[in-house]
Amino acid sequence: MITSLPPWQERLVEQLSAQFANHRLAQTLLFDYEKGAAVETLSNYLVRLILCQSHTAKYTPCGHCHSCHMLESESHSDFYSLAPKGQSIGVDDVRLLQDWSVQKPTHGHGKVALIEQSHKLTPSAANALLKMLEEPKENTYFILLKPLQSSLLTTIISRAQRWVIHSPSPTQALDLLQQWYPDIHLERLQLALHWLDGPTECAEFFNNNGEDELSKFTQAVEGLNQHDIDPIAQQLEKSPDKLSWLGQIIIDSLQNHFHKRDHICPLLTQLTQNQLIDAWQMFVQLREKLAQHPALNFSLQVYPLLSYLNQPESNRAD
């Protein structure tokens, strides 16, 4: 896992570190993030900064003290992570957080609660959290994360110091991946950035045999162009998250009908413009259906789309 800070966050971290060093860091922080902004890396760094027992001269987490080691092993009792269970964060989850928040720190001078996808708090959970934020215990910090365009209870936002976390430019993202993975071909890095959310997600991907996964999926798409549906079906059944990759391929293939240009990803070359439009509509409907009904059999739901993409030549006419 990549834990070092990406370059586009360094200035923000300098500001937050200075506030913490001068005892001026807000006890409630809200990170409103753009897609691919690597907000998890930023929030994890801030957690380590607050809980570190032996800061360096530049007031950064040392990485060697007992507290830093406990965070690394995910066993720090002064750190609490709250994320949605299913589609939301319920009031019972927040009550457990409240029970934790009133206890004194066990390993140092502070405590930190990280609330991921805070926009998924139910109304009752949001109100319960608000009560905690109105009168937080001394040296107890709350870090809330949410996508930039999502909503959150206005009174919670008013209690927090809000920061907008921007995503890197394509050049910044690619430069960083090239530094991290100099042995991976440039086109593979570009393709990962095209299909995934930013360089840190790409890093997690490449650290888990991602280069091989890219090769298998692109080969499966080429097989689909040759009327072989099995490889792509097997890829999606094994990793349903790759459905978004297929959606991106449909969009890229459609755009190629309007603007011919070099593409880093495989295209559905055998489909006409109108068929790609129909395929995209099928994809959107499928994505919404799966989001609303996650218990549905994925393979059965995706099969009509794959069958449409695999239709015989005799049907491929406008």
Side-chain angles (χ1 to χ4, degrees):
M1 178 179 179
I2 300 296
T3 56
S4 58
L5 285 168
W8 62 90
Q9 292 179 356
E10 289 176 353
R11 185 174 180 182
L12 171 58
V13 166
E14 287 177 1
Q15 293 177 274
L16 292 170
S17 297
Q19 289 181 6
F20 183 68
N22 294 313
H23 307 287
R24 294 170 53 193
L25 183 66
Q27 284 187 259
T28 302
L29 297 162
L30 172 61
F31 291 158
D32 252 329
Y33 59 90
E34 294 180 339
K35 183 178 180 180
V39 70
E40 295 85 1
T41 302
L42 172 63
S43 58
N44 289 338
Y45 181 90
L46 189 57
V47 169
R48 290 186 288 131
L49 172 69
I50 294 171
L51 296 180
C52 179
Q53 298 169 327
S54 181
H55 296 99
T56 66
K58 294 184 178 180
Y59 228 83
T60 58
C62 70
H64 304 295
C65 68
H66 183 54
S67 183
C68 286
H69 283 308
M70 284 191 294
L71 283 172
E72 187 68 25
S73 63
E74 301 181 356
S75 61
H76 204 306
S77 59
D78 293 333
F79 172 62
Y80 196 102
S81 179
L82 179 60
K85 295 178 180 177
Q87 299 299 312
S88 63
I89 300 175
V91 66
D92 290 340
D93 300 317
V94 174
R95 285 171 180 158
L96 290 174
L97 171 62
Q98 186 174 21
D99 292 341
W100 170 88
S101 70
V102 298
Q103 300 170 12
K104 293 183 178 180
T106 56
H107 296 288
H109 54 273
K111 302 174 67 174
V112 187
L114 175 64
I115 304 176
E116 302 178 44
Q117 300 184 60
S118 59
H119 61 296
K120 293 188 176 182
L121 287 159
T122 64
S124 55
N127 284 317
L129 176 63
L130 177 61
K131 292 179 181 179
M132 273 188 283
L133 303 184
E134 288 174 339
E135 297 181 1
K137 295 294 182 180
E138 185 179 5
N139 294 326
T140 297
Y141 297 86
F142 296 87
I143 303 173
L144 282 65
L145 313 180
K146 77 175 189 67
L148 185 57
Q149 301 302 324
S150 62
S151 61
L152 184 63
L153 193 66
T154 305
T155 44
I156 288 181
I157 296 176
S158 68
R159 293 284 174 181
Q161 184 183 73
R162 178 176 175 267
W163 299 84
V164 176
I165 314 302
H166 296 287
S167 58
S169 69
T171 300
Q172 285 178 314
L174 184 58
D175 286 347
L176 191 60
L177 279 184
Q178 287 182 295
Q179 293 176 29
W180 287 344
Y181 302 99
D183 296 330
I184 296 180
H185 196 278
L186 176 63
E187 288 188 357
R188 288 288 185 230
L189 299 177
Q190 291 173 318
L191 184 56
L193 284 171
H194 191 54
W195 284 348
L196 300 171
D197 290 342
T200 52
E201 183 172 324
C202 290
E204 294 282 353
F205 177 70
F206 283 123
N207 289 345
N208 289 280
N209 203 32
E211 189 174 11
D212 186 49
E213 291 298 312
L214 285 177
S215 296
K216 290 179 179 178
F217 196 82
T218 54
Q219 290 171 8
V221 175
E222 294 298 340
L224 192 58
N225 283 328
Q226 301 298 321
H227 315 301
D228 185 0
I229 197 174
D230 290 339
I232 192 73
Q234 292 169 4
Q235 281 286 307
L236 293 175
E237 184 175 3
K238 178 183 176 183
S239 303
D241 288 346
K242 291 179 181 176
L243 182 63
S244 64
W245 297 8
L246 183 59
Q248 187 61 57
I249 288 172
I250 295 172
I251 284 292
D252 289 340
S253 301
L254 182 57
Q255 290 176 341
N256 191 58
H257 277 273
F258 296 100
H259 305 287
K260 297 288 184 181
R261 58 183 180 181
D262 293 334
H263 282 269
I264 57 174
C265 70
L267 300 178
L268 299 169
T269 56
Q270 303 302 317
L271 289 175
T272 66
Q273 177 180 317
N274 287 342
Q275 288 168 335
L276 286 167
I277 292 173
D278 291 341
W280 174 248
Q281 292 173 343
M282 291 178 67
F283 171 82
V284 171
Q285 293 170 0
L286 172 63
R287 182 178 59 188
E288 292 175 352
K289 186 176 183 180
L290 291 171
Q292 294 171 2
H293 307 284
L296 290 174
N297 184 297
F298 178 83
S299 298
L300 291 178
Q301 298 303 317
V302 79
Y303 185 78
L305 173 60
L306 296 182
S307 296
Y308 185 83
L309 297 177
N310 192 46
Q311 58 187 292
E313 288 289 343
S314 58
N315 295 336
R316 296 181 187 273
D318 281 321

